[in-house]
Amino acid sequence: MTVIEFQNSPNTQQYQKSILPNLGLVCITSDKQVRFRTMTRTRYLKLSLSDRKSALSELYRHNLHRLHDALSFCQQNKIQLYRMSSSLFPLSDLEDKIGASILEAMSADLATIGQRANALSIRMVLHPDQYVVLSSDSPEVVQASINNLAGHSRILDLLGLPRRREAACRQTSPWSLMNIHGGKSQRPEQLVKVISELPENIICRLTLENDEYAYSADEILAVCQQAGVPMVFDAHHHICHENLDSYDHPSVASMFYAARETWANPDWQLVHISNGEQAFNDRKHSDLITDMPKVYHQAPWIEVEAKQKEEAIAHLRSWWLMKNDCI
């Protein structure tokens, strides 16, 4: 599938074809080589204003260094897709603006990390936390969700990570994306309405993913089609929601191809995979991936959501990528 090489500018891409899907690392490594620190809101609010600034400054620099380590790990292990932690710079979206101002002051350091990712052709993406609910009944929750997405988008901009290659954002596919779930169930009209009113800096990076409970693959596909944003298909969420007994159920391939149609650039299509811990459609993630949809051989980018992280990627490379004449 597609590997993108960045040369000179993050907005200049050259394409090289590979026959293997790119398997992505999610946030941390199993062996604790890459770990990030965080701080709770409760602890933060107990600090004086001066202590808040010094605490966040030290924390952000630590996590930025760990992000550098994560890129080094990906380079060493030939991983070209990396999901950053949504808590990389915690509390940076608070009303006191302390965290946001610290990030602005660190902009040169953040840009250096982004330039390195681009030079290494490592695609960096984000999955904001579960509290981002654009379909909420509460205007306050919706606004807080938008503020959260705006903060993440600003971080991606400070890192210098590409939004979309073309200028017409709403007609192209996101590269360094922010992926979210649908949120409150049975609110597709609200979800489409809120998305349609989002500012360009958010909509240019936004993707939506199906889940096990609130939004089926069919439902989130319809939202994506109406809102004009790409769909990240998760095969395990799909089989859990529909209570299926195989990743090769015809609907898995059907939804994979339907989701691909929402990507203006299908070479940038991103999908997720996980396996059940105790049973096939157990919602809890297993240590390794031992079962894969056949259609995923056609997926250019796959985030591997397994507890053993890089070990799960290595395991997939050892058996799945060797099957069905994939190499």
Side-chain angles (χ1 to χ4, degrees):
M1 302 306 174
T2 299
V3 175
I4 294 183
E5 291 188 346
F6 295 96
Q7 296 184 348
N8 301 324
S9 166
N11 295 317
T12 302
Q13 292 92 23
Q14 288 187 345
Y15 300 90
Q16 288 186 338
K17 292 291 181 180
S18 168
I19 57 175
L20 298 181
N22 291 291
L23 304 178
L25 177 66
V26 175
C27 302
I28 60 174
T29 53
S30 176
D31 67 358
K32 297 185 179 181
Q33 183 173 340
V34 176
R35 285 290 190 274
F36 299 95
R37 289 168 46 193
T38 190
M39 178 183 293
T40 66
R41 183 187 181 99
T42 300
R43 178 188 167 197
Y44 176 78
L45 293 177
K46 291 179 180 179
L47 300 175
S48 67
L49 290 179
S50 60
D51 286 344
R52 291 179 188 181
K53 183 174 181 180
S54 60
L56 287 188
S57 294
E58 195 276 330
L59 175 59
Y60 290 1
R61 295 218 170 263
H62 174 274
N63 283 356
L64 193 61
H65 182 73
R66 288 292 172 266
L67 186 57
H68 180 277
D69 292 344
L71 290 178
S72 296
F73 184 89
C74 288
Q75 180 187 20
Q76 293 161 9
N77 290 274
K78 297 180 172 56
I79 295 172
Q80 291 186 278
L81 173 62
Y82 179 66
R83 182 201 290 181
M84 292 179 285
S85 169
S86 62
S87 299
L88 187 62
F89 302 115
L91 309 171
S92 60
D93 61 343
L94 292 186
E95 298 79 4
D96 62 15
K97 304 295 183 183
I98 292 175
S101 65
I102 292 171
L103 288 178
E104 295 294 333
M106 293 171 56
S107 60
D109 295 324
L110 269 70
T112 298
I113 295 291
Q115 290 164 8
R116 184 164 183 248
N118 293 337
L120 294 173
S121 298
I122 296 174
R123 184 180 188 181
M124 300 175 75
V125 300
L126 269 174
H127 195 333
D129 62 37
Q130 60 184 335
Y131 301 109
V132 174
V133 183
L134 296 180
S135 55
S136 174
D137 293 324
S138 167
E140 291 77 18
V141 171
V142 172
Q143 188 56 56
S145 299
I146 294 172
N147 292 345
N148 184 286
L149 290 174
H152 284 309
S153 179
R154 182 56 183 159
I155 289 170
L156 294 173
D157 285 345
L158 287 171
L159 286 166
L161 300 176
R163 294 182 177 183
R164 300 182 178 183
R165 189 182 180 201
E166 294 84 357
C169 273
R170 291 180 185 270
Q171 299 177 2
T172 58
S173 301
W175 176 251
S176 294
L177 57 84
M178 302 184 296
N179 182 55
I180 63 172
H181 293 290
K184 187 175 177 62
S185 63
Q186 300 180 340
R187 298 296 304 278
E189 297 85 1
Q190 164 76 357
L191 187 54
V192 171
K193 180 179 183 296
V194 172
I195 291 173
S196 70
E197 297 171 352
L198 291 173
E200 289 293 290
N201 66 315
I202 296 177
I203 196 70
C204 279
R205 297 192 185 274
L206 194 66
T207 61
L208 294 177
E209 176 188 354
N210 59 299
D211 64 78
E212 310 105 308
Y213 302 105
Y215 285 88
S216 69
D218 282 325
E219 290 170 328
I220 212 67
L221 173 65
V223 170
C224 288
Q225 291 170 334
Q226 294 176 54
V229 298
M231 174 181 170
V232 172
F233 176 58
D234 188 307
H236 194 70
H237 287 171
H238 177 65
I239 63 98
C240 288
H241 190 283
E242 305 300 326
N243 196 27
L244 305 177
D245 60 5
S246 172
Y247 284 127
D248 293 323
H249 186 278
S251 65
V252 174
S254 176
M255 289 310 311
F256 171 83
Y257 290 123
R260 173 169 285 185
E261 290 299 313
T262 66
W263 291 79
N265 186 344
D267 289 338
W268 292 8
Q269 182 189 17
L270 180 68
V271 299
H272 289 178
I273 189 61
S274 56
N275 285 174
E277 183 178 49
Q278 299 296 328
F280 177 70
N281 51 14
D282 184 355
R283 290 170 170 82
K284 295 181 180 179
H285 291 177
S286 60
D287 289 341
L288 302 175
I289 304 296
T290 57
D291 197 356
M292 287 286 284
K294 289 180 181 177
V295 73
Y296 269 24
H297 281 302
Q298 300 179 44
W301 302 89
I302 305 173
E303 284 188 41
V304 179
E305 298 183 320
K307 291 179 181 178
Q308 289 300 314
K309 305 295 182 178
E310 72 279 6
E311 293 181 19
I313 292 175
H315 184 63
L316 271 173
R317 286 173 171 170
S318 73
W319 72 272
W320 181 68
L321 291 184
M322 302 299 173
K323 293 177 65 175
N324 298 334
D325 296 322
C326 192
I327 61 172

